[in-house]
Amino acid sequence: MSEHRGKATDRPRHRRRRTALAVGVPLALTAAGTMAYGTDLGVFGEDAQRTASAATAAPAWAADTADGFASVNALGQNGTYGGRGGKTVTVKTLADLEKYATAPEPYVIVVAATINMNPVGKEIKVQSDKTIVGAGTSGQIVGGGFFLGSGVHNVIIRNLTIRDAYQGIWNDKEHDFDAIQMDGAHHVWIDHNDLRRMADGLIDVRKDSTHVTVSWNKLSDNNKTFGIGWTENVVTDITIHHNWFRETEQRNPSTDNAAHAHLYNNYLEDVSGTTIKSSYGNYSRGKTKMVLENSYFQGMNNPVTKDSTAAIVQKGNTFVGTSGRNESGGTAFDPKSYYGYTLDKTADVPALLKSGTGPRAAIGTTAATKGAAATTLTVAKDGSGQYKTVQAAVNAVPANNPSRVVIAVKPGTYRELVKVPSNKPHVTIQGTGGSRKDTVIVYNNAAGTPKPDGSGNYGTSGSASVAVEADDFQARNLTISNDFDEAANQSLSGHQAVALRTAADKVLLDGVIVTGDQDTLLLNTAANDKLGRVYMTNSYVTGNVDFIFGRATAVIDKSVITLKKRWDGTSAGYVTAPSTAANRKGILIANSTVNGDVSSRSFYLGRPWHAGGDASLDPQTTVRNTNLSAAIKSTPWTDMSGFSWKDDRFAEYKNTGPGAGSAGSDRPHLTDAQASGQEVGDWLGDWTPTAS
């Protein structure tokens, strides 16, 4: 960008209603002051396998087996492995999904598109020996779900978004539209799904269903969330671990007459300031025996309750801002007599689950399942690698390389400029340290910095410490920084100082820190008429002025955006400055946190950058399902260089935290219908980000 654009400083929200009970304390993904980039969120996606036909061999992740009670040998079934051993098929239509899910033989079914149920509320009757898994984040089931009937067994449902069968009635007793319902099924594993807004339950485990494991799911925006029981028989064995319950009213879960219910490392969050209020959290009913370990309850009303006939043994749980019943008593069982497991520290649970639940960009495989193994080039400052600089390794990549080249960079600070040219696709730059802070690529050019050859200044795009012009680029587990010192260079014209510039398609930024001040992260395309998609996840971005900007179709998902004071100690800035072309998607911030040590109400979420005064552009930023700190202005959008933000596309949807606000003419919110077309998968289209 050129010198900042006339520095002037700038769709209705819909909340379904409920009972006004306990009000919780908002919890960000992690407070900037507490985390300070110190607690890694983990690698969100590993490698993935794409399948194209029924004849394809099952990828490595199809061999994954369940943990917990779903792993136990019982009822003639030795663990839960789904369709392993059957054919692998990729489906993009309702007809194909139903065809393979209801077939008698085993299948691994890869859902690679958004599939709308017809009629709304349809539940596909899944048969035994099936794995149904989303292809990256693109597998979505809208308006219905799955039903597992009596005797159905050995079923895995993973990595899917199942959503939006809601019929406008909060306590809906007419529509039984569940995301996943089982009546008398056994050996079922429900893992890494995003389940929300259904007309009844998100998960119903009913009528003596048993040997079920529910792990690493996000369950949100629902009334009757997760019910277990509906039987007088005490036979159900179930493990529920590492699930994030957020903005759910009741059945979180409600467990009725379960022989063994093991709940651990779950996060139950009632978000302050929203209209969805919790009635209760974990409920042990009837003759249930429940073990509840190392779970985190935030703002929940009646966080743990039990009937007089039920048992709950609590160990190591944390309760913050909760109220009402918190009960334990009776004798239960020792889960380790059935299976092995490892507890995460309770204090780590909120951050761990906010980053790790729901569909992943990729499900792990080995390189061998993708074809030829990637070439690896090592970089180490001390000479222990093949190259001493990152750029030297990039230079060694052959032009028009046909397959993945991984540049493995050992821990250290690499003060250099790095450019990946357009004729070197499929490059991964990956830090090899234990933390993304261990490997740092940094430089300090600014837009006004003179070039050493005397040919002028670098300009904004030329100031980037790392510039990526090659498609299918990935950066993982490292820090990219521009440490230009504005205070020491006040005489210099042009303080825009880019840390990372992308001008390519299919760019995956996974587990990285990108930090600077003004214009930190430039997400562009190779040309005005070119598509450029960027998916950033499990990452951090820091800056102050327009520090996420450009014309790319970009998603920042499950990440932390940290606001930083200006060089003179003042608090003022803009998070985004999109320059989106008309009929393209711009910047989407989803499932993230915006925070930082700055003054209250000092930052805008964005403003429209009409680069070069181009009135044909239609800049877009959507911020949804994100926790906003008090630093965000109550009117979060503003005009720029004579262009009104109201003429472009700026909106929010179901944000939380002290910086969130109700809809109005100066704060448009998407309706539920509008938001259903502004999901992560809508931005990425036919691209499934696959970490390699």
Side-chain angles (χ1 to χ4, degrees), residues 87-112:
K87 293 180 180 178
T88 298
V89 293
T90 297
V91 301
K92 295 185 177 181
T93 66
L94 174 58
D96 283 345
L97 174 59
E98 189 164 22
K99 170 185 174 182
Y100 293 112
T102 60
E105 60 266 37
Y107 277 105
V108 175
I109 304 165
V110 182
V111 182

Side-chain angles (χ1 to χ4, degrees), residues 14-15 56 65 117 123 156 252 475 479 563 579 605 622 667:
H14 174 72
R15 277 282 190 195
T56 306
T65 58
M117 291 298 195
E123 294 178 8
I156 297 173
N252 295 305
T479 294
L563 311 176
S579 56
L605 285 176
T622 296
R667 191 159 198 170

